[in-house]
């Protein structure tokens, strides 16, 4: 892992990292004989919505797994707000302010809707460790604070009325929104959404779009991996297009739609 002084020097020397909250250089990830990610370099600026798109099997979710710490790269560098990420596990990245949702929903199905959101507050508890054993005033105060904030998040995603029910009883679209609320409970500075619109109907997609817009207006930086191109065109400031694990295009969404190489990748030309 690169020392902080060395990282700072290399960061300042690279124009790629100017105004970037997250950046990577030369990321590679192989699974056996499959090169899932090959030499991917990108930067995500403060306060923007950055989309990662491409056909099935392009390596999009693998790239998000590298960014969030689910996987470690075989080669390359990553940093978040000046902190080196390579070698850092996912739970430590969460403490830095990176949060994500998953393509396949990963809720605690036997916990209540409220309980799922409360579970995500563990990295921000404000009580001494001994109060977990002997519950005192500080413990009660912290629990009440977390509960109030969790209910606000559930209200934000339209699930406050469903707070006491089991997560397993929610519709698919509601589970998607609960996963978003749980990710937000970690107070992220960079929110990564993996196929957030997958399986949603038109009304649910519109609701998701509005939530993402509100988060961006609040200053949150968001990375979206998404197949729904209409959603991407409406919310993304910039996109990177991948194909067979490699860089294909980066720029505004409207330019991506007109790019011949991008069209060929999606249509199989």
């Amino acid at each position: 892992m690169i020392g902080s002084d060395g990282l700072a020097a290399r960061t300042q020397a690279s124009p790629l990292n100017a105004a970037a909250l997250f950046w990577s250089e030369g990321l590679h990830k192989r699974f056996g004989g499959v090169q899932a990610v090959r030499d991917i370099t990108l930067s995500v600026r403060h306060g923007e919505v950055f989309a990662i798109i491409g056909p099935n099997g392009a390596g999009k979710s693998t790239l998000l797994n590298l960014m969030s710490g689910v996987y470690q790269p075989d080669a390359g560098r990553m940093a978040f707000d000046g902190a080196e990420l390579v070698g850092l596990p996912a739970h430590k990245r969460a403490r830095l302010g990176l949060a994500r949702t998953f393509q396949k929903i990963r809720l605690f199905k036997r916990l209540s809707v409220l309980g799922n959101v409360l579970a995500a507050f563990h990295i921000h508890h404000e009580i001494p460790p001994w109060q977990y054993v002997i519950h005192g005033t500080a413990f009660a105060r912290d629990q009440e604070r977390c509960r109030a904030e969790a209910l606000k998040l559930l209200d934000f995603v339209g699930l406050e009325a469903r707070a006491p029910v089991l997560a397993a009883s929610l519709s698919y679209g509601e589970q998607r929104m609960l996963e978003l609320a749980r990710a937000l409970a970690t107070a992220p500075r960079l929110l990564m959404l993996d196929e957030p619109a997958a399986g949603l109907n038109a009304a649910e997609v519109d609701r998701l779009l509005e939530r993402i817009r509100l988060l961006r207006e609040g200053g949150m930086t968001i990375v979206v991996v998404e197949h729904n191109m209409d959603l991407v065109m409406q919310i993304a400031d910039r996109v990177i297009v991948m194909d067979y694990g490699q860089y294909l295009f980066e720029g505004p969404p409207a330019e991506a739609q007109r790019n011949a190489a991008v069209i060929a990748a999606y249509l199989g030309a």
Side-chain angles (χ1 to χ4, degrees):
M1 185 176 297
I2 301 169
S4 58
D5 293 341
L7 174 63
R10 293 177 67 175
T11 299
Q12 293 171 0
S14 175
L16 167 74
N17 308 317
L21 178 63
F22 173 96
W23 58 266
S24 72
E25 291 181 341
L27 289 182
H28 290 261
K29 185 63 180 178
R30 176 182 292 275
F31 299 99
V34 177
Q35 186 76 49
V37 169
R38 184 195 303 269
D39 196 25
I40 294 295
T41 293
L42 60 85
S43 65
V44 181
R45 301 165 188 153
H46 289 265
E48 76 171 340
V49 176
F50 184 88
I52 303 170
I53 64 175
N56 287 330
K60 305 181 298 295
S61 289
T62 300
L63 177 58
L64 205 67
N65 285 334
L66 291 172
M67 295 172 67
S68 61
V70 175
Y71 300 147
Q72 294 293 336
D74 299 326
R77 301 174 58 233
M78 290 181 288
F80 175 72
D81 199 20
E84 177 71 32
L85 294 182
V86 174
L88 202 67
H91 71 278
K92 290 188 177 180
R93 298 188 194 196
R95 292 184 183 277
L96 289 177
L98 291 90
R100 67 165 298 177
T101 64
F102 289 86
Q103 185 176 352
K104 294 182 179 179
I105 297 173
R106 299 184 182 184
L107 297 174
F108 301 116
K109 298 293 183 69
R110 295 188 180 183
L111 284 184
S112 69
V113 169
L114 178 61
N116 268 269
V117 181
L118 287 173
F121 280 97
H122 73 281
I123 65 172
H124 297 296
H125 281 316
E126 300 173 353
I127 58 175
W130 63 267
Q131 290 234 1
Y132 286 101
V133 181
I134 303 174
H135 296 175
T137 304
F139 181 87
R141 187 166 54 244
D142 185 70
Q143 291 294 100
E144 186 58 35
R145 176 188 64 84
C146 291
R147 178 182 174 85
E149 292 182 16
L151 288 172
K152 286 181 182 178
L153 289 173
L154 289 177
D155 180 57
F156 176 73
V157 299
L159 291 176
E160 187 176 17
R162 304 283 275 158
V165 306
L166 290 179
S169 69
L170 297 181
S171 69
Y172 184 83
E174 289 174 328
Q175 290 185 31
R176 282 277 179 201
M177 298 309 288
L178 176 55
E179 195 174 39
L180 173 60
R182 190 175 63 178
L184 292 173
T186 66
R189 297 163 58 206
L190 175 61
L191 176 65
M192 294 169 279
L193 306 175
D194 193 358
E195 302 278 4
L200 302 187
N201 60 38
E204 290 168 338
V205 170
D206 288 342
R207 192 174 304 118
L208 172 66
L209 272 168
E210 182 60 23
R211 301 285 82 74
I212 295 175
R213 288 194 184 103
L214 289 171
L215 291 171
R216 177 172 58 183
E217 289 171 7
M220 185 169 292
T221 307
I222 302 171
V223 172
V224 183
V225 169
E226 185 53 68
H227 276 293
N228 186 322
M229 293 305 297
D230 183 57
L231 182 148
V232 169
M233 295 302 138
Q234 291 188 59
I235 63 166
D237 300 300
R238 290 187 302 132
V239 302
I240 183 171
V241 186
M242 297 177 64
D243 192 26
Y244 293 105
Q246 301 181 74
Y247 168 91
L248 189 62
F249 172 88
E250 182 178 348
E255 291 183 16
Q257 282 187 307
R258 298 190 295 267
N259 184 275
V262 174
I263 294 171
Y266 269 99
L267 300 181

